[in-house]
Amino acid sequence: MTPRRPLRLAVFALALSVLAGAGLAGKALAGNALAGEADRSQTDKPLVGQPLGVVELFTSQGCSSCLPADAFFAELAAKENIVALAYHVDYWDYLGWKDTLSRKENTERQYEYMRAFGSRSVYTPQAVINGRSHVNGARREEVDGALARMGRSGEGMQVGIKVSRTSDRVIIDAGDAGSGPSDAHVVIVYFDPPQTIKIGKGENTGRSMTYWNAVSGIQTAGMWHGKAQRYELPMSVIAKKGGCAVLLQSVGKDGMPGPILGAALIHKP
């Protein structure tokens, strides 16, 4: 489904302030040990292993073509080896139903991908795979095929990300790329817990759908320069959300989002 009228979008800012005063700027730590044996004793094992890939679905409650994609996405979100994120966009709201999970920033991210891919328009349901290419999000064979193909060709998750936690913080360890990529942003993408929504108007009137991993905010936590580095987030911030994903994403000189080199999920404690 392609928009039938132009949108006036603000320039996308990747470093979005999600929670005022929460102090989310990531910082690198010099040592390998956590401060204090009490924190060390509470550190969990890594929460997520190396995922197969990242699927970012751009969808809308007001788009009839999105229902099959949303159902398939729920399956992806349940898989431990997939980082699945749903960006609800707002440009279909004029059809009669305002998407209750839509955000202007989600629409802006999709338009940034459009420019990065050299496309001329956006559409729903669009699935962006590993920040490298896009397919119809309702076509299971295309999504699965892209993930498998990129895994074989070296365009999958190239940099390991280990996530662990203590009683009051989340620790993110980004690995060493060796002779591989040397620069990327550490992007934190927050999402809501599953929500069942009954749609009251528009193309999907009367339908109910449970939406998984609906993105509610994006935060840049720091820069990664190809070498192993550690970042921290306060546990209190994660606890207020359904969870979040850590994306190690390269960014072009023009600021456009590029390939995702590594990823991990952090679920609400």
Side-chain angles (χ1 to χ4, degrees):
M1 193 170 181
T2 303
R4 291 176 290 203
R5 68 179 188 181
L7 298 175
R8 185 174 296 175
L9 297 175
V11 176
F12 175 57
L14 188 57
L16 172 67
S17 176
V18 179
L19 295 173
L24 291 180
K27 65 176 183 178
L29 300 181
N32 292 325
L34 296 175
E37 288 300 322
D39 277 354
R40 181 186 298 275
S41 65
Q42 297 179 49
T43 301
D44 292 343
K45 293 180 179 179
L47 301 181
V48 180
Q50 187 89 333
L52 176 63
V54 178
V55 177
E56 297 176 273
L57 176 69
F58 292 90
T59 185
S60 173
Q61 295 169 7
C63 166
S64 59
S65 303
C66 290
L67 294 177
D70 294 328
F72 173 45
F73 179 85
E75 297 178 30
L76 293 175
K79 295 183 177 182
E80 293 185 356
N81 66 337
I82 300 291
V83 175
L85 300 166
Y87 297 81
H88 286 247
V89 298
D90 61 5
Y91 49 77
W92 294 126
D93 290 355
Y94 79 95
L95 293 178
W97 176 256
K98 177 176 172 52
D99 190 311
T100 60
L101 301 172
S102 68
R103 299 174 68 255
K104 179 184 69 173
E105 292 80 6
N106 293 348
T107 302
E108 290 169 351
R109 182 165 175 83
Q110 187 180 27
Y111 269 77
E112 291 293 330
Y113 270 131
M114 179 196 77
R115 296 183 184 97
F117 295 145
S119 303
R120 300 183 64 180
S121 64
V122 295
Y123 64 93
T124 55
Q126 180 187 37
V128 175
I129 313 298
N130 294 348
R132 295 178 180 271
S133 68
H134 63 96
V135 298
N136 187 319
R139 296 177 180 170
R140 180 188 302 263
E141 67 281 1
E142 292 187 8
V143 174
D144 290 342
L147 287 168
R149 183 174 64 255
M150 290 183 189
R152 292 192 301 268
S153 66
E155 296 179 318
M157 301 296 96
Q158 301 169 280
V159 180
I161 295 182
K162 172 186 172 184
V163 176
S164 53
R165 62 190 179 197
T166 69
S167 60
D168 64 349
R169 74 194 75 176
V170 172
I171 300 108
I172 302 165
D173 286 297
D176 192 313
S179 59
S182 59
D183 286 294
H185 289 187
V186 180
V187 181
I188 311 300
V189 183
Y190 297 94
F191 55 81
D192 292 331
Q195 301 178 60
T196 300
I197 306 294
K198 184 174 182 179
I199 301 170
K201 295 180 180 180
E203 293 184 346
N204 295 323
T205 301
R207 302 294 297 267
S208 291
M209 177 68 69
T210 299
Y211 294 100
W212 293 77
N213 296 4
V215 171
S216 59
I218 304 173
Q219 175 83 28
T220 298
M223 289 289 296
W224 172 84
H225 299 292
K227 301 298 181 182
Q229 195 164 342
R230 175 170 286 189
Y231 310 83
E232 291 186 1
L233 292 175
M235 181 65 74
S236 59
V237 174
I238 306 300
K240 294 177 182 178
K241 302 289 184 177
C244 69
V246 181
L247 305 181
L248 197 65
Q249 185 164 29
S250 60
V251 176
K253 293 180 180 179
D254 53 3
M256 297 298 107
I260 296 172
L261 310 175
L265 277 175
I266 305 173
H267 292 286
K268 181 177 179 178

